[in-house]
Every structure is written in C-alpha cells, then in structure tokens.
Amino acid sequence: MPELPEVETIARGLAKRVTGDLIESVWLGQKKEPLKSPAAQIAKALEGSRISSVRRMGKHIVFDLDPAPEAQKLSRSKSKSRRRSTSQGLAKAGQALHSASHVQWIVHLGMTGSLRVCEPQSEIAKHTHAILKLASGRELRFVDPRRFGRLSVATAFDAAGVEPLEVDLAGFVSLFRGRKTPIKSALLNQKLLRGVGNIYADESLFRAGIRPRRRASTVTRDQLEKLYAGLQQVLSEAIALGGSSISDYVDADGEEGFFQLQHRVYAREGEPCLVCKAPIKRVVIAGRSSHYCPRCQK
Ligand SMILES: [Zn+2]
C-alpha cells in the first residue's frame, strides 16, 4: 500500500505531466466500488476542466480543476454540443478564468490503485476503472485490481489530521497528550496525522528509541521531540529517494518502481539491530505488525 512518500512522489510525477492539460472527456467503468461520488457527478465536474495543479493531501491525490469558461457555459446543453464545446474550450484554455466554482478531483489509491499517463493507442489494462481523455492527446487512466481505491469530486476537500511534514513541534506534541493508546496506534491514527503508515511509524519509533506499545501519554516531551525529528527525517529521506525515480511511477506500463528506504527495523524480525546487534522483535498492535529493538527502544 502506498504510504505518504509514495503518494507524494506520484502526485509530483503527475503534476509534471498533466498540469495545464484539459480534460476533454471521461469514461467511467461499471464497477461501483471505486466511485465514491456518483459517476455522473464525476464526469460533469471533470469534462471540460483544466487541471491547474496536482498535489498530495494525506494519502489523497488532489487534482485542482478550473472549469474552462466556454465548456462550462455549454456543458448545460445536450451532450452533443458539450463535445463540440470541449474543443472550443481548448482553444481558449489560455484565457481560462479562475472560477469561483473551484472543483477538485480526489483520488485515493487504496491498496493497488495506480494512475497512468498513457498514449491512447496503448492497450487498456484489465481493471481500468476510469479514462480521462486529455487535450494533449494522452489519456490518464485509473487502474485498480483490488478496488480499494476511491475516486470522488469535492469543492473544498480537507483530509482529517495534520500534515506530518508541516505541523510544528508544539502541534505534534499536543497530538499525543492524554492518549492512552499505544504510541504506534496514535501515529497510525489518520485523524491525528495524515498519511503515516506502518513502515514509517516503526522506523521513526526506532529512531526515537520508543517502544511501539508505550502508552502515548507516558512518552516524555524529550522523546516526542526525537520522534518528531525521526518521523520528518524518514519521510523526507523517502521522498528524496522517490524524487530521483519519479518518472517510473506513472509511466504507461504502470511499472511501479517504488524505492525502499533502507529499513532499520521494519520487516527485520530476528535480524540483528543495526545499532546494538540484539535481534529485532515483532509484536502485533491493533492488528498491525510492529517491529522494534528490545534494547534500543524503551
Ligand atoms: Zn538495538
């Protein structure tokens, strides 16, 4: 499952490829699960709109859309004229006004979702649930074999929680005050922090010397400061690694070349700790595997 750094990398890769492009038409598949908003609503919001930016919010990819004025005006008439209006809207793309009705296309990749920028003649992969025809001649396709991914439209999307790379230290520390849950569960709680998953939670707890099962409320301010630094460090390192292979993420073949941060504890059960050589332990907390060094983490 893509975590924050992967989603950030994917969003940056998409931003480079499709920002400024116009969505001429939208095809949506028959499967209901991937559509969190009604199909007609998604199609209406996307068709004729210009992609003004692509960014990550938590584990969501947010496409900010500017309705092209011409297409917007004509989209109320029948679909035949809408098709025509798209090319007119295209010609006027340069003059597209910023409209008050700012719309966003929100994509959550779930477990196996991917967004691929394809040439129109390239074969349509199995499990393709959405195809956006772009004015540049390319297509943006959403493919998701396991269908945990979600597509929706919104006007002022705001994911719960704070961005781990944007929150300040005081804000970070306050998230854990009075929490009786294990610190690991608190890190994974998407209502507190956006986008932190299992790998980066384990890796940041190791860097901070905190056992995953420790009650969040008992972790000292000093340790929370280390956790704050550790979390920002692992996320930034992973994003930096991903940045160098950005083009591999959303290529036409859908090859997923996810980099891997060198894990210090994650998925290293029984292997020696890189610091003290003690064997790494694994425990299950709230149904998730947690890895830690019994000597380095208290
Ligand atoms: Zn150790």
Side-chain angles (χ1 to χ4, degrees), residues 206 273 275-276 293 295-296:
F206 175 76
C273 169
V275 174
C276 75
C293 170
R295 211 176 285 165
C296 294

Side-chain angles (χ1 to χ4, degrees), residues 286-298:
R288 307 294 299 273
S289 282
S290 299
H291 308 81
Y292 70 97
C293 170
R295 211 176 285 165
C296 294
Q297 290 171 260
K298 311 269 184 236

